Amino acid sequence: MTHRFDTAAPGDRTTPRILAEAHELIGAAARAFGRDEYARTLLAECDYRLREPLRVALAGSIKAGKSTLLNALVGQAVAPTDATECTRVVTWYRDATTPTVTAHAADGSRANVIVRRGSGAHGLTFDLNGLSWDARGPRAVDHLEVGWPSAALSQTTIIDTPGTSSLSREVSLRTARLLTPADVEDDSRAAPLSVSGADAVVYLLRRLDAADVRFLEQIGAGAGGSGPLGVIGVVSRADEIGSGRIDALHSARDVAARFADELERTGLCQAVIPVAGLLAFAAATLRQPEFAAFEALSTVPAEDLGIALLSADRFARADIALPVAPELRAQLVDRFGLFGIRMATMLIRLGARDSSALAAELAARSGIEELRSVLEVQFGQRAEELKAHSALSTLDRILAAFPGTEADRLRPRVRARLADVHGFTELRLLGRLRADELPLPPPVLADLHRILGGVGVAAHLRLGLPAESDPDSLRATAFAAVRTWRARAAHPLADRSTATACRAAARSAEGILAELPQPRPTKPIR
């Protein structure tokens, strides 16, 4: 996930301005609270998050593949993927100069965690030092913080969350408190601490059931809730949908299309992407001995190799005659899965001549590059807006939790900024274009999606022009877009939702004009 998450949105001067306003409102609240150190501590944390990298949470049901996808996005084995106790707590992954893992307890204490590295796909385990995994008690682990040297984590803080459908209600609540803090019942005064959560969410789906829909509805910032504005769906473990067959990702893409149709129609996700997380991580960490093993396997007649790959147990059996040792075959299954082995041997037969070429081809077919591209457009190019929305939502909840002070007068201003910032409006509309079922022709809907920043926030992308377009072309097209969308908004047959969306599109085009250099005035001819 090596995205430019510090990029302000071109074509919209609102982005830097809303950050400055968020800082100013938080500072005013801190001054109004005076000597209330607890409230001031919360506000300091709220202000600090504006200077941090974007926070992206990975959420989904148990065994959805969150930790495996995290490792694939980072390109290193930083998260344990086996079903250990550490998957029962929220874990924050941040950039650091040296690897460290710290457990934070409910009573405020902390302890260093011993990291043990084994072999195979489940190579990491975290061992506590004096703390308990039990969800209750003063020495219970509240959350883990993992510091790891990583270019990806320097751009994005990734938050791995417990399964939303855990048998333990307390475990599931940990994810709910992080992503939907305003909707979680908590009688303690510490409840506002849960507001320092995610700016955006990647929600992993193995199937689309009622529990997934309910949780996505709770996140629901696009529908006026208090959670993150950005939500991307991922059909995880996509290689398993086709039982590991070579066409598994085609089957997964069909499933993703059905999920997308449902989720985008309800406004719960901005996009749904199929990803084979295990293959993506294995591709990022492909070793030369593994490439040599795949080369040897590619020489086996396809029919014989297909019989050996009928099951993972069969493939690793010592009595199966293959030119790779059984122990290494077991490691290949653990790291790549049957789908990955089939795909790797096929790609070598098609011409992948070295490990780097094979790794690139496997990554492309895993779906991880498509996911990275969507994350860049939906999250990376909107990072400042997403952070500002989180900070203002947090500030609103803090003000509500500590009434009866001079800070009360700030709440209407905070609510107004949450409702009026155009970047927030664009994000909400992008999530609900299909849900609102606007009566516009498909080409017009595509234009609407583009002008709102659905394919990128750069001016030429919004206007559908080549990257090398000169300012005069951009200006002329933007002027035409303003006129067109204003006319559509004012059409006598336009319903309320359509008129609102068209007015937003016109405002987006106006924002592009405001950012373009103004033409030099021509001198009059004498």
Side-chain angles (χ1 to χ4, degrees):
M1 194 187 288
T2 53
H3 307 308
R4 294 173 290 103
F5 280 163
D6 57 346
T7 304
D12 186 0
R13 289 179 177 175
T14 305
T15 299
R17 186 168 65 245
I18 191 57
L19 285 177
E21 289 185 7
H23 280 299
E24 189 273 325
L25 286 168
I26 293 168
R31 292 189 295 272
F33 279 124
R35 296 184 178 181
D36 191 326
E37 290 302 319
Y38 185 71
R40 290 170 65 88
T41 299
L42 295 177
L43 291 167
E45 182 181 351
C46 179
D47 188 68
Y48 180 70
R49 74 181 299 163
L50 292 172
R51 301 179 177 87
E52 286 188 308
L54 189 75
R55 299 174 176 182
V56 176
L58 303 182
S61 61
I62 296 173
K63 295 186 180 299
K66 297 183 290 295
S67 299
T68 300
L69 182 62
L70 190 156
N71 288 336
L73 288 169
V74 175
Q76 302 180 60
V78 298
T81 56
D82 53 346
T84 56
E85 296 287 356
C86 64
T87 60
R88 295 164 57 86
V89 299
V90 173
T91 305
W92 295 65
Y93 292 84
R94 306 177 189 272
D95 183 42
T97 54
T98 58
T100 59
V101 182
T102 306
H104 294 259
D107 63 0
S109 62
R110 63 182 65 185
N112 292 329
V113 175
I114 300 172
V115 180
R116 304 189 188 279
R117 185 180 294 275
S119 60
H122 312 304
L124 286 182
T125 57
F126 293 164
D127 292 341
L128 291 183
N129 184 10
L131 297 180
S132 168
W133 291 114
D134 191 344
R136 301 183 182 278
R139 295 287 289 171
V141 175
D142 179 72
H143 67 279
L144 297 176
E145 288 202 14
V146 177
W148 207 273
S150 166
L153 293 175
S154 69
Q155 302 294 329
T156 315
T157 294
I158 305 180
I159 311 168
D160 196 6
T161 65
T164 55
S165 56
S166 172
L167 294 177
S168 168
R169 181 175 181 273
E170 180 59 33
V171 170
S172 293
L173 278 175
R174 287 168 170 165
T175 300
R177 290 190 189 104
L178 179 83
L179 301 180
T180 60
D183 299 325
V184 177
E185 294 183 6
D186 194 332
D187 296 330
S188 69
R189 194 172 188 249
L193 284 172
S194 64
V195 296
S196 56
D199 303 313
V201 178
V202 175
Y203 194 88
L204 281 68
L205 303 140
R206 295 188 69 184
R207 61 189 63 84
L208 185 60
D209 56 28
D212 290 318
V213 173
R214 282 196 301 271
F215 194 82
L216 287 167
E217 286 174 342
Q218 287 177 0
I219 295 175
S226 57
L229 270 181
V231 182
I232 299 298
V234 168
V235 179
S236 61
R237 304 175 71 159
D239 51 314
E240 297 178 5
I241 290 176
S243 301
R245 298 191 311 270
I246 199 70
D247 62 346
L249 282 178
H250 293 291
S251 301
R253 198 166 295 280
D254 292 339
V255 172
R258 293 198 299 271
F259 288 0
D261 188 62
E262 178 63 27
L263 294 173
E264 291 174 11
R265 182 173 288 117
T266 56
L268 298 179
C269 282
Q270 290 157 262
V272 181
I273 310 296
V275 178
L278 184 66
L279 180 61
F281 173 62
T285 56
L286 179 67
R287 305 156 187 160
Q288 185 59 37
E290 293 170 337
F291 175 77
F294 288 134
E295 270 194 316
L297 290 170
S298 69
T299 65
V300 177
E303 183 177 350
D304 294 344
L305 185 59
I307 293 173
L309 286 168
L310 287 175
S311 72
D313 291 340
R314 181 181 180 85
F315 181 70
R317 275 168 45 182
D319 60 342
I320 299 293
L322 291 172
V324 175
E327 296 79 9
L328 181 51
R329 279 184 260 151
Q331 292 177 23
L332 292 178
V333 171
D334 193 37
R335 290 247 303 143
F336 291 82
L338 296 178
F339 171 74
I341 296 171
R342 292 188 179 101
M343 182 64 69
T345 53
M346 182 195 73
L347 290 169
I348 288 175
R349 291 190 189 107
L350 292 175
R353 298 304 180 200
D354 54 47
S355 58
S356 61
L358 179 61
E361 292 288 347
L362 290 174
R365 285 162 172 78
S366 71
I368 194 70
E369 298 303 330
E370 182 181 359
L371 176 60
R372 284 194 175 105
S373 177
V374 172
L375 291 175
E376 170 61 22
V377 170
Q378 302 292 346
F379 296 168
Q381 297 178 14
R382 300 270 191 176
E384 305 303 334
E385 291 171 346
L386 292 169
K387 290 194 292 184
H389 180 270
S390 296
L392 290 172
S393 297
T394 295
L395 175 59
D396 185 48
R397 287 192 286 275
I398 293 173
L399 295 176
F402 298 90
T405 71
E406 287 295 315
D408 288 348
R409 60 184 174 80
L410 297 173
R411 202 172 185 202
R413 288 179 59 192
V414 174
R415 288 289 182 89
R417 301 316 293 142
L418 284 169
D420 295 343
V421 172
H422 184 61
F424 300 165
T425 300
E426 286 185 333
L427 285 164
R428 294 188 184 100
L429 280 171
L430 286 171
R432 294 199 57 82
L433 281 183
R434 293 187 65 181
D436 290 338
E437 296 184 351
L438 303 180
L440 296 171
V444 176
L445 282 173
D447 288 345
L448 178 60
H449 182 262
R450 188 181 62 241
I451 195 72
L452 293 173
V455 298
V457 298
H460 72 279
L461 292 175
R462 289 177 180 265
L463 297 172
L465 295 175
E468 62 275 11
S469 298
D470 59 81
D472 288 340
S473 297
L474 293 170
R475 191 178 303 105
T477 306
F479 268 121
V482 172
R483 290 194 297 268
T484 296
W485 290 111
R486 281 179 177 172
R488 286 173 176 152
H491 194 284
L493 297 181
D495 59 35
R496 182 175 179 179
S497 295
T498 302
T500 298
C502 292
R503 282 194 294 270
R507 187 173 175 187
S508 296
E510 290 166 354
I512 295 171
L513 286 172
E515 286 295 296
L516 290 173
Q518 296 303 308
R520 294 181 179 179
T522 57
K523 294 182 179 180
I525 299 176
R526 295 181 179 177

